[in-house]
């Protein structure tokens, strides 16, 4: 990576907490590049690249993809021109080793994580959210059968592409994701608490209210550029 980097927001939350939903709204509102490792992996799986072939097995089992692969992909993404003005990370870091790599990579560019908002949602709600989720093929815009149905059934409101269910949203895989990943999330929360940037937001109050609460947590830390 080269030169300096702008503001850095790390959006934290369990699988299904609403990271993707909120990241799409906030990145536009705040002028930050939305960097989602899950979306990057899904694009690689779709395109059947070597990275996608490696990642698929882990994702289907609800496990984290190994750090070496994930970190290389993330660092390449952070080197892209659109990331230089600032980034909103969704799904990275997932463990403290990834958090340390991120800290060092940002420090090399004179940057740091400015704020790490945590969208807190009880486990029972996560299962219901993931079971009813549909996302669009073009950009991963998330919907929910009950909570956020699209205007036209099976079609994305934003870009008109087809909606589908993620293969890792099957009930058994959802349970595996929660079982395998919640412990590591707790450690990441502790890491950012220790660094003084963790802000916890209630994720059960509806999408609009969660956005408002996230903005209250983020804007004082990064300034509002809109
Ligand atoms: P990833 O794609 O990051 O999945 P995840 O963390 O499991 O999170 P989700 O995308 O499932 O949920 P979300 O928090 O984005 O919720 P959403 O907004 O969609 O990762 C997938 C896999 O890739 C991982 O399991 C792993 O294998 C691999 N991977 C990715 N990053 C990695 C890394 N760094 N290291 C290693 N491996 C990695 O919302 C969910 C649903 O809830 C939607 O239906 C939505 O409409 C609804 N909803 C949202 N907000 C609300 C609300 N406030 N009230 C009611 N419903 C709501
Ligand atoms: Mg997501």
């Amino acid at each position: 990576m080269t030169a300096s980097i702008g503001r850095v927001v790390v959006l934290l939350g369990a699988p299904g907490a609403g990271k993707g939903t909120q990241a799409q709204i906030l990145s536009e509102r705040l002028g930050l590049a939305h960097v989602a490792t899950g979306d990057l992996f899904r694009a690689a799986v779709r395109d059947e690249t070597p990275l996608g072939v490696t990642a698929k097995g882990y994702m289907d089992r609800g496990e984290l993809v190994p750090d070496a692969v994930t970190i290389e992909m993330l660092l390449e993404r952070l080197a892209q021109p659109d990331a230089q003005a600032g980034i909103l990370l969704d799904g990275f870091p997932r463990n403290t080793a990834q958090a340390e790599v991120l800290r060092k990579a940002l420090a090399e560019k004179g940057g740091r994580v400015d704020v790490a908002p945590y969208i807190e949602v009880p486990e029972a709600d996560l299962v219901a959210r993931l079971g009813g989720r549909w996302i669009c093929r073009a950009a991963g815009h998330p919907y929910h059968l009950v909570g956020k149905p699209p205007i036209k059934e099976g079609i994305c409101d934003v870009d008109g592409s087809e909606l589908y269910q993620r293969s890792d949203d099957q009930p058994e895989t959802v349970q595996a994701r929660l079982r395998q990943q919640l412990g590591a999330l707790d450690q990441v929360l502790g890491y950012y608490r220790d660094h003084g940037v963790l802000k916890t937001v209630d994720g059960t109050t509806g999408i609009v209210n969660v956005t408002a609460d996230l903005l209250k947590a983020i804007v004082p830390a990064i300034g509002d550029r809109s």
Side-chain angles (χ1 to χ4, degrees):
M1 296 203 296
T2 55
S4 63
I5 190 152
R7 298 305 190 188
V8 178
V9 178
V10 168
L11 198 53
L12 298 170
K19 299 182 298 296
T21 300
Q22 297 296 336
Q24 284 173 3
I25 300 166
L26 295 171
S27 56
E28 202 167 306
R29 170 82 168 78
L30 298 168
L32 301 170
H34 175 194
V35 174
T37 40
D39 289 348
L40 295 173
F41 281 134
R42 278 183 288 282
V45 169
R46 180 197 61 211
D47 297 343
E48 298 179 353
T49 67
L51 172 70
V53 172
T54 303
K56 188 173 185 323
Y58 294 97
M59 295 171 80
D60 285 347
R61 291 192 297 276
E63 296 170 11
L64 293 178
V65 179
D67 282 351
V69 176
T70 306
I71 288 165
E72 187 184 341
M73 175 182 78
L74 190 270
L75 294 179
E76 271 176 29
R77 179 65 186 88
L78 294 193
Q80 299 297 312
D82 71 321
Q84 307 318 306
I87 49 173
L88 194 160
L89 283 164
D90 157 8
F92 190 99
R94 296 289 252 264
N95 56 35
T96 51
Q98 293 183 7
E100 262 303 286
V101 167
L102 178 65
R103 186 189 64 73
K104 288 184 186 146
L106 294 173
E108 276 174 25
K109 303 181 84 169
R112 66 187 167 88
V113 171
D114 294 289
V115 60
Y118 165 49
I119 309 174
E120 188 174 36
V121 175
E123 203 169 321
D125 292 17
L126 300 172
V127 173
R129 286 186 187 191
L130 294 172
R133 174 170 62 183
W134 290 71
I135 66 170
C136 84
R137 293 233 181 255
H141 293 119
Y143 295 85
H144 191 275
L145 279 181
V146 182
K148 190 180 181 258
I151 295 165
K152 195 170 169 199
E153 195 183 326
I155 302 291
C156 178
D157 297 349
V158 182
D159 55 40
S161 70
E162 178 200 19
L163 302 184
Y164 75 101
Q165 284 188 290
R166 273 170 48 175
S167 59
D168 61 349
D169 281 348
Q170 298 303 315
E172 322 76 59
T173 318
V174 166
Q175 293 299 343
R177 286 160 69 194
L178 296 175
R179 202 171 51 242
Q180 315 237 18
Q181 298 185 23
L182 292 184
L185 171 64
D186 269 345
Q187 291 180 7
V188 174
L189 296 177
Y191 178 95
Y192 285 119
R193 192 177 294 116
D194 291 348
H195 284 73
V197 292
L198 185 73
K199 302 273 180 200
T200 299
V201 166
D202 181 355
T204 64
T205 58
I207 293 171
V208 173
N209 291 324
V210 175
T211 303
D213 288 344
L214 285 168
L215 284 169
K216 279 186 214 151
I218 296 169
V219 169
I222 70 163
D224 191 352
R225 297 157 178 230
S226 61

Short mmCIF file of all heavy atoms in Angstrom, two decimals, residues 4 71 77 87 111 137 187:
data_model
loop_
_atom_site.label_atom_id
_atom_site.label_comp_id
_atom_site.label_asym_id
_atom_site.label_seq_id
_atom_site.Cartn_x
_atom_site.Cartn_y
_atom_site.Cartn_z
N SER A 4 -1.23 8.05 1.83
CA SER A 4 -2.05 8.10 3.05
C SER A 4 -3.43 7.52 2.78
O SER A 4 -3.83 7.32 1.65
CB SER A 4 -2.19 9.55 3.49
OG SER A 4 -2.87 10.26 2.51
N ILE A 71 -6.39 -12.15 4.25
CA ILE A 71 -5.61 -10.92 4.45
C ILE A 71 -5.03 -10.44 3.12
O ILE A 71 -5.07 -9.24 2.81
CB ILE A 71 -4.52 -11.17 5.51
CG1 ILE A 71 -5.18 -11.27 6.89
CG2 ILE A 71 -3.46 -10.09 5.48
CD1 ILE A 71 -4.31 -11.85 7.96
N ARG A 77 -7.47 -5.16 -1.92
CA ARG A 77 -8.65 -4.27 -2.05
C ARG A 77 -8.36 -2.89 -1.48
O ARG A 77 -8.76 -1.87 -2.05
CB ARG A 77 -9.85 -4.93 -1.32
CG ARG A 77 -11.13 -4.10 -1.34
CD ARG A 77 -11.69 -3.94 -2.75
NE ARG A 77 -12.84 -3.04 -2.81
CZ ARG A 77 -12.75 -1.72 -2.97
NH1 ARG A 77 -11.56 -1.13 -3.07
NH2 ARG A 77 -13.84 -0.98 -3.05
N ILE A 87 -12.54 4.18 4.15
CA ILE A 87 -13.22 2.89 3.96
C ILE A 87 -14.16 2.57 5.12
O ILE A 87 -13.94 2.98 6.24
CB ILE A 87 -12.20 1.72 3.83
CG1 ILE A 87 -11.16 1.77 4.96
CG2 ILE A 87 -11.57 1.70 2.47
CD1 ILE A 87 -10.25 0.57 4.99
N GLY A 111 -2.54 5.87 8.92
CA GLY A 111 -3.95 5.79 9.28
C GLY A 111 -4.19 4.89 10.49
O GLY A 111 -3.26 4.31 11.05
N ARG A 137 -28.31 -10.53 -7.03
CA ARG A 137 -27.14 -11.07 -7.72
C ARG A 137 -26.13 -9.99 -8.08
O ARG A 137 -24.94 -10.23 -8.05
CB ARG A 137 -27.56 -11.76 -9.03
CG ARG A 137 -28.37 -12.98 -8.83
CD ARG A 137 -27.79 -14.19 -9.58
NE ARG A 137 -28.65 -15.33 -9.34
CZ ARG A 137 -28.34 -16.33 -8.51
NH1 ARG A 137 -27.19 -16.37 -7.90
NH2 ARG A 137 -29.20 -17.31 -8.32
N GLN A 187 -13.71 -11.75 20.80
CA GLN A 187 -12.30 -11.33 20.96
C GLN A 187 -12.03 -10.03 20.19
O GLN A 187 -11.30 -9.16 20.65
CB GLN A 187 -11.37 -12.44 20.48
CG GLN A 187 -11.44 -13.62 21.43
CD GLN A 187 -10.53 -14.75 21.01
OE1 GLN A 187 -9.74 -14.62 20.08
NE2 GLN A 187 -10.65 -15.87 21.69
#
